[in-house]
Amino acid sequence: AQREDRRKRQYSEQQSDAANISKRQKSAIGSMEGYIRSAAEALTQHEWHIIEIRELTSSDGSSSDGNFILWVMIGNDSLQRVRIKLSRTIYVDSRVELKQGLIGSLVVKRVEKHLPHNKSSGLLYEVNMPELLYLSNNWIGQLETIDPTLQVNSNRLFESIYEMGTPLLLRAMMHLGSVCRPIGDRDVKAGKVYDMSEISPVTRPDENEYLHTLMAYRRIFLYENLNHKKRNGLVGLFIMDGGSGERSRNANGSTLDLSRPQDADPNSFTMSATCHFWVVKPGGSAVEQN
């Protein structure tokens, strides 16, 4: 009987331990899911103060594919990575009517614009397309005419084709500005990549300035230089003293807000950093720190 009681107690303890482990696992998973969801919701509810905008290249590394990476400050202390895409806009001066709306990978809309040299146009269409499709020069074949008997041919049906020639990075900077936010209440399930048309610039930020005083952050710069011929390289890490917001206090107790040098006392604004360098060898496991 005593042996049977011990078995029952051991079994009960094992079941209890298993239940506690399961609860902890569920709690950890729930916390991670909650963090990810909160971060996604913050993107739709707060302004984006852009820290960096980086243009991605195509798979062969020769040109841009219309995708960009943004590093933005959200709220007061959250730095997030956002991916956006920018389409290419072409204007087609057509001799015949074209179908409008979503045509294949194209978005076609009839517009009225002032053409170069005061040239008049009766049928001018704005055509938006992915950058890679524009680079492939295969987009003309996707246009469709109202008259099904007409076959699309740029030499016969189109008078002229216009493109602004503005680099995508410059277009992105001009559209976004330094502070922007998504348009409307974007569903967090709509996807991880924002279209540029879903984002609008903010001319009057909530705190009336870019990177306002409620934002707390420090600046760390990474330097990397690899010599492929000698198969070695140098990696440097620069940690700036001082910061912004609550992070503007130095180790010695003084305050140095790097975003607002005009607020510092006369002749007291000095910038310094702690530097760490590593000599590295690509593919090797050992590094030398200086």
Side-chain angles (χ1 to χ4, degrees):
Q2 293 179 354
R3 183 178 300 176
E4 185 66 23
D5 291 339
R6 284 198 301 269
R7 287 179 180 177
K8 289 182 179 180
R9 285 197 300 270
Q10 290 176 354
Y11 178 77
S12 177
E13 290 174 356
Q14 291 174 354
Q15 291 294 99
S16 178
D17 292 341
N20 291 335
I21 292 174
S22 178
K23 288 181 180 180
R24 288 197 297 269
Q25 290 176 343
K26 290 182 180 180
S27 177
I29 294 175
S31 298
M32 180 57 68
E33 290 179 352
Y35 173 79
I36 295 175
R37 181 170 295 276
S38 297
E41 291 177 350
L43 286 174
T44 64
Q45 298 172 359
H46 295 282
E47 296 174 346
W48 301 0
H49 291 247
I50 299 177
I51 303 297
E52 179 187 8
I53 177 169
R54 182 184 306 167
E55 186 174 14
L56 299 181
T57 58
S58 56
S59 57
D60 59 4
S62 59
S63 59
S64 170
D65 61 0
N67 285 275
F68 295 83
I69 294 296
L70 297 183
W71 285 99
V72 297
M73 289 290 292
I74 306 294
N76 295 338
D77 55 4
S78 175
L79 180 65
Q80 294 199 37
R81 178 181 182 269
V82 184
R83 184 164 181 166
I84 63 174
K85 60 181 178 179
L86 179 62
S87 59
R88 178 71 65 164
T89 302
I90 303 293
Y91 293 94
V92 177
D93 185 7
S94 177
R95 295 189 177 97
V96 297
E97 287 192 69
L98 302 177
K99 289 184 179 180
Q100 301 184 59
L102 181 61
I103 312 296
S105 300
L106 310 178
V107 178
V108 184
K109 179 177 65 174
R110 186 172 175 179
V111 296
E112 294 184 2
K113 298 282 185 179
H114 294 286
L115 297 180
H117 309 294
N118 291 325
K119 184 179 179 180
S120 60
S121 173
L123 298 171
L124 184 65
Y125 293 89
E126 180 183 271
V127 183
N128 288 281
M129 69 193 74
E131 179 67 13
L132 291 181
L133 179 60
Y134 168 76
L135 296 175
S136 68
N137 294 320
N138 295 326
W139 59 272
I140 293 179
Q142 294 192 23
L143 293 172
E144 298 179 7
T145 61
I146 296 294
D147 187 349
T149 62
L150 295 177
Q151 185 177 4
V152 173
N153 185 297
S154 59
N155 295 329
R156 292 191 309 160
L157 302 184
F158 301 153
E159 181 71 27
S160 304
I161 296 177
Y162 301 91
E163 203 277 322
M164 300 296 291
T166 306
L168 291 182
L169 180 58
L170 180 58
R171 281 184 56 198
M173 294 173 62
M174 293 173 61
H175 178 83
L176 297 173
S178 58
V179 183
C180 59
R181 71 180 308 153
I183 298 175
D185 296 328
R186 187 177 190 267
D187 188 353
V188 296
K189 298 181 180 180
K192 297 181 179 180
V193 181
Y194 283 78
D195 190 88
M196 190 70 75
S197 61
E198 298 178 303
I199 307 172
S200 64
V202 175
T203 56
R204 293 185 178 181
D206 291 339
E207 300 297 331
N208 298 320
E209 64 176 333
Y210 169 67
L211 297 179
H212 52 77
T213 55
L214 297 180
M215 290 185 174
Y217 58 94
R218 296 187 63 186
R219 294 165 174 80
I220 300 177
F221 297 92
L222 177 67
Y223 172 80
E224 180 185 41
N225 190 351
L226 299 178
N227 189 319
H228 296 284
K229 292 184 178 180
K230 296 183 178 181
R231 298 187 60 80
N232 59 19
L234 181 66
V235 175
L237 193 65
F238 298 82
I239 305 175
M240 298 292 297
D241 294 333
S244 296
E246 295 180 356
R247 301 291 185 90
S248 60
R249 188 171 297 278
N250 285 327
N252 59 10
S254 62
T255 300
L256 178 64
D257 193 332
L258 299 180
S259 299
R260 295 163 183 83
Q262 68 277 7
D263 296 339
D265 296 332
N267 302 322
S268 66
F269 188 82
T270 57
M271 299 179 65
S272 59
T274 302
C275 307
H276 302 274
F277 288 99
W278 292 267
V279 178
V280 298
K281 183 178 182 180
S285 58
V287 296
E288 180 181 348
Q289 182 179 3
N290 293 322

